[in-house]
Amino acid sequence: QKEVEQNSGPLSVPEGAIASLNCTYSDRGSQSFFWYRQYSGKSPELIMFIYSNGDKEDGRFTAQLNKASQYVSLLIRDSQPSDSATYLCAGTLAGGTSYGKLTFGQGTILTVHP
Amino acid sequence: SAVISQKPSRDICQRGTSLTIQCQVDSQVTMMFWYRQQPGQSLTLIATANQGSEATYESGFVIDKFPISRPNLTFSTLTVSNMSPEDSSIYLCSVTSGINNEQFFGPGTRLTVL
């Protein structure tokens, strides 16, 4: 079992819709979670991070974390064609030799069509 | 967030040769990491670059193949040694920054081995 798994894509949504990206993780010791956006040919760009149970909102983006279910999600409201990219979920353990290290999911390709 | 640069941005190399990739940050950072992203894949951590001591390698990566230096808190190098076509990937350095240890990536080095 992979440590971080993302829902299989690709995901296609119409412009203006809500895009829902999901991620599960296997290690209950995981502390923080990060969502990155990666455009083709570019490096990953940090969108959101979350480390507490519940929701965290930033503009059109909402990250949700449920540690009991080991589940992380990213909602993109009012999706725009410019949101079309690969979205990467990553988790990290805190402390010891694992401090700061990110384990990435396989990524979900999102396409927002006009 | 920290500004990260990498050199070279891309290179085409012959098998059996070595390439050294440089990563420069505009501020002192505690944690620096090197990742690999193979074509169509997600990111895999190669090692943590430790300032003043030997790098900490992840399972499947060894120092002889990927020697790393980190002479100070703003600079690191990754060498890909005795290259084969299987080493063709994007190599990314990253740093942690901010009170929540968000991780940011450099622009990457696209390596093609013939």
Side-chain angles (χ1 to χ4, degrees), chain B residues 31-104:
Chain B
M31 307 295 290
M32 292 182 77
F33 303 92
W34 287 98
Y35 290 83
R36 179 174 74 181
Q37 187 171 32
Q38 294 178 299
Q41 303 296 313
S42 188
L43 281 75
T44 300
L45 179 64
I46 297 172
T48 303
N50 301 308
Q51 195 270 327
S53 64
E54 195 170 280
T56 304
Y57 291 84
E58 297 303 303
S59 177
F61 298 96
V62 295
I63 187 171
D64 289 346
K65 177 67 175 177
F66 297 101
I68 288 171
S69 77
R70 183 154 180 215
N72 56 53
L73 293 177
T74 64
F75 185 79
S76 178
T77 67
L78 168 74
T79 299
V80 187
S81 302
N82 188 24
M83 290 183 286
S84 67
E86 292 71 34
D87 294 320
S88 297
S89 291
I90 298 172
Y91 292 85
L92 298 129
C93 71
S94 72
V95 304
T96 57
S97 180
I99 60 174
N100 295 299
N101 287 314
E102 301 98 290
Q103 195 163 136
F104 300 95

Side-chain angles (χ1 to χ4, degrees), chain A residues 23-43:
Chain A
C23 176
T24 58
Y25 60 96
S26 59
D27 191 337
R28 287 192 174 274
S30 298
Q31 296 286 325
S32 303
F33 299 89
F34 301 81
W35 283 99
Y36 289 86
R37 176 175 63 197
Q38 187 174 28
Y39 293 114
S40 180
K42 301 294 186 182
S43 65

Side-chain angles (χ1 to χ4, degrees), chain A residues 79-102:
Chain A
S79 296
Q80 302 297 309
S82 58
D83 295 325
S84 298
T86 298
Y87 288 80
L88 298 163
C89 171
T92 184
L93 298 176
T97 60
S98 297
Y99 184 77
K101 298 195 301 186
L102 290 177

